[in-house]
Amino acid sequence: MNIARIALDVPLAGPFDYLATDITENDIGRRVVVPFGPRKLTGIVIDVASTSEYAPSKLKSVITLHHDMPPLPQDVLDTCRFCADYYQHPFGQVIFTGLPVRLRQTAAYHRPPGTHWQLTELGSNQLQGRISARAPTQQRLYATLQSGPLAVEQAQQVAANAPATLRQWAREGWVARCIPPMAEQFPLTPLPALNIEQQAAITAIQSQPGFAVTLLHGITGSGKTEVYLQLIAAELAAGRQVLVLIPEINLTPQLTVRFSARFPNRCIVSLHSALADGERADNWLTAQCGQADIVLGTRLAVFTPLPRLGMIIVDEEHDSSFKQQEGLRYSARDVAVFRARLRQIPVVLGSATPALETYHNAHTGRYRLAKLNKRAVDVAELPIVKTIDTRRLLLQDGLSDDMVNALNARLLAGEQSLVFINRRGFAPVLFCGECGWIAGCQRCSARLVVHLRERQLRCHLCGYEESVPSACPDCGNQDIRPLGVGTQRIEAALTERLPQARILRVDRDATRRKEAFNTMLANIHGGKVDILVGTQMLAKGHDFPNLSLVCVLNADSGLYSADFRATERLFSLLMQVSGRAGRAGIPGEVLIQTQFPDHPLLHALVAHDFDSYAKRLLEERRQAHFPPFLYQAVLRAEAQDLELAIAFLDQAKQFAHALNSPVDLFDPVPAALTRLAGWARAQLLVQHPSRAILQTLLRNWIPQLHTLNERQVRWIIDVDPLEV
């Protein structure tokens, strides 16, 4: 009897040994159902052995072996193993993080049947050797499948028993039902002419076969997407698949439309959390079976099985959305690089404002660098960036007269404008001038945001809501008022001051309904909107040809943060949103209201000089001993009482000291946001210039933390944290 080693979605190291009569090495990567305590759980077979360190009498048996999907390929399992080791997370939970919800359930998944049969990767590798030379019918059927997908109704023409043979092969994972790529309905349009820089970038990326990481550093509007498209075209022509990772769900529809227009005869699927569970599972299986040519997805798509994977593209690679902030705290960008190394394929990291870690790697020779310094449209120039010094100005609802006049001028010229403020709601604070009361969340260390239309106060962190009080709950003063501005307040102010303008607010509140964002984009491109009021949802990836003016409010808030990455994020955000202006033939202008017009960040922004500011920040980090010049991990703890969390971290620090590691250990401190959703939070920072030494400490330290058995404290390790 074989011993199947099973990975389970439980917070334990695993794997777990089970008796398995019919499971062989060919089933590694398949789903099974096993008993685990009083429950039945779905697991993944990761190894098959003949012996176990436990007596057979103590082992339970596998209940069910599912054949509803091909096995997870070895490169996906190896990628999950890397994440488990590097991010210090249970292997089973890593595997199940990458699976669609439907495939985490114990029931078999019945995918809507396709219209054709096709060979799987396993079938291409194994089936020929399994067919007897005395089975000419099977040989003929295999040869037919090698030439491409075989229609279900045509299978019987190959042999009368072909349907039964195909069903048997499907149970072995050698063939799968599929929907073939669409027949070409339109002649392919000729590829747009590339400028010299774009062509040089493509040549550089394609010049080195096998694994290589290339930073495609292009200014906003420089045509990075066109470079992606032509790289993808070359991969598809060679019979390979391409994985494209993007940071925002809202960027998926427009990219899908653009990719579909370029590749009308190819199968393109999306993978992101806004999809229904069934749709996501179908798209995932379409990719796993090799039917999808292009997979377009957010961070979780990095774990998608792709048998013909030829290239990975990470667009807006700097974006913090690629870092998971709960559960398995992985960086999809870094995992993409690891997976590309496993598959020996190229990976392209694209950005107008690369993360400093990526920028440093590109300028020290670890990554290759391809630059796009001019806009792709010949008549398009970078926008003129100006600052409005607000130190001596009286602002009305957060708007200066200069900004309103500029908006009115664009309105009269028939051009579009964007007013950017990265704060939704009406106002961030409800304040009593008599006693100083401020409306705060009962569950978080955060202030409640005023949503005036709904007459509600909302916490944007935990979702807590309450009605706006009619008087101060502390002193009874009825003259409580909102302070500061948000998107709703700006929308109301502009409606009053520019009544003839068609104003559209684009933020998370306005796009909650399904398809709301797509409808808004259609109205913007259709010329039905004069002024956009929006958050960072509009800051990246969007191309509005008629948008000539960008107005930035409340930019100074990013300069106050104690986070050493705050200015990097602010510069990136401002540069991205500035790049929305003047992308076609209309000259663009950017106005930034600030009380710090002489700040180096704004000087670099006015000059469109990312390189000098990035080098300045890198030098500051070198002197301060911050990443990328060392590596960090944070042990985060949560408890109902802050003292419990701190006490847990104190014990953890003592364990770390006992290991005699040369890493730097800092004292436990409350987190910047000390309370979130009712939990008090604290953290302990460890760091060292050597990644290997830090990883050695973590491997020896984490098992000891499990011995503390402090049930009142939740804890997790965050490797390469973005928030310290």
Side-chain angles (χ1 to χ4, degrees), residues 96-160:
F96 279 85
T97 294
L99 288 180
V101 171
R102 286 285 182 88
L103 298 179
R104 302 177 198 174
Q105 299 169 355
T106 55
Y109 181 68
H110 299 290
R111 188 183 182 199
T115 58
H116 288 59
W117 289 101
Q118 73 170 10
L119 286 170
T120 64
E121 183 183 24
L122 185 66
S124 298
N125 295 334
Q126 297 183 1
L127 185 53
Q128 187 173 21
R130 302 296 181 93
I131 299 176
S132 169
R134 292 177 292 180
T137 298
Q138 293 187 21
Q139 295 279 7
R140 190 164 62 252
L141 184 59
Y142 174 72
T144 305
L145 287 167
Q146 280 188 306
S147 63
L150 174 65
V152 172
E153 60 272 13
Q154 294 175 335
Q156 208 159 11
Q157 298 175 13
V158 178

Side-chain angles (χ1 to χ4, degrees), residues 64-295:
T64 304
L65 172 66
H66 284 308
H67 288 84
D68 53 0
M69 66 176 235
L72 288 177
Q74 192 60 47
D75 78 297
V76 171
L77 293 176
D78 288 345
T79 300
C80 292
R81 171 59 70 188
F82 160 76
C83 289
D85 292 342
Y86 185 76
Y87 295 107
Q88 305 297 321
H89 204 75
F91 181 41
Q93 289 191 325
V94 174
I95 293 178
F96 279 85
T97 294
L99 288 180
V101 171
R102 286 285 182 88
L103 298 179
R104 302 177 198 174
Q105 299 169 355
T106 55
Y109 181 68
H110 299 290
R111 188 183 182 199
T115 58
H116 288 59
W117 289 101
Q118 73 170 10
L119 286 170
T120 64
E121 183 183 24
L122 185 66
S124 298
N125 295 334
Q126 297 183 1
L127 185 53
Q128 187 173 21
R130 302 296 181 93
I131 299 176
S132 169
R134 292 177 292 180
T137 298
Q138 293 187 21
Q139 295 279 7
R140 190 164 62 252
L141 184 59
Y142 174 72
T144 305
L145 287 167
Q146 280 188 306
S147 63
L150 174 65
V152 172
E153 60 272 13
Q154 294 175 335
Q156 208 159 11
Q157 298 175 13
V158 178
N161 63 341
T165 301
L166 288 168
R167 288 193 293 271
Q168 174 60 36
W169 288 357
R171 286 192 287 271
E172 298 295 334
W174 294 330
V175 297
R177 295 281 286 269
C178 70
I179 299 174
M182 294 185 300
E184 186 173 335
Q185 300 176 4
F186 310 100
L188 289 176
T189 56
L191 297 179
L194 299 174
N195 61 35
I196 295 175
E197 290 183 336
Q198 289 174 311
Q199 186 58 62
I202 292 174
T203 302
I205 293 167
Q206 295 177 333
S207 64
Q208 180 178 332
F211 171 70
V213 185
T214 302
L215 168 60
L216 181 62
H217 183 189
I219 64 171
T220 53
S222 60
K224 293 186 291 295
T225 303
E226 184 57 41
V227 172
Y228 300 155
L229 288 168
Q230 299 216 15
L231 289 171
I232 290 169
E235 293 298 314
L236 298 183
R240 295 187 284 264
Q241 296 170 294
V242 179
L243 172 62
V244 182
L245 298 179
I246 56 175
E248 298 281 352
I249 292 173
N250 292 322
L251 296 176
T252 308
Q254 66 177 26
L255 283 177
T256 301
V257 169
R258 188 166 179 182
F259 282 23
S260 298
R262 180 62 63 88
F263 308 112
N265 59 333
R266 296 291 186 167
C267 179
I268 303 171
V269 299
S270 299
L271 289 172
H272 53 78
S273 59
L275 297 175
D277 288 346
E279 185 179 7
R280 183 163 188 167
D282 287 344
N283 288 354
W284 190 89
L285 287 168
T286 299
Q288 187 193 24
C289 293
Q291 298 167 236
D293 297 302
I294 302 171
V295 174

Side-chain angles (χ1 to χ4, degrees), residues 16-56:
F16 302 90
D17 288 1
Y18 286 86
L19 298 175
T21 305
D22 300 322
I23 293 179
T24 69
E25 289 186 354
N26 292 333
D27 296 312
I28 292 175
R30 286 201 183 279
R31 296 196 315 133
V32 293
V33 179
V34 296
F36 190 79
R39 300 177 292 167
K40 294 180 181 179
L41 296 180
T42 299
I44 298 292
V45 181
I46 61 169
D47 196 12
V48 177
S50 57
T51 60
S52 171
E53 61 180 290
Y54 302 100

Side-chain angles (χ1 to χ4, degrees), residues 30 91 104 127 197 200 272 375 400 534 567 634 667 719 722:
R30 286 201 183 279
F91 181 41
R104 302 177 198 174
L127 185 53
E197 290 183 336
H272 53 78
R375 288 200 152 177
S400 65
T567 52
V634 173
D667 290 332
V719 179
L722 290 185

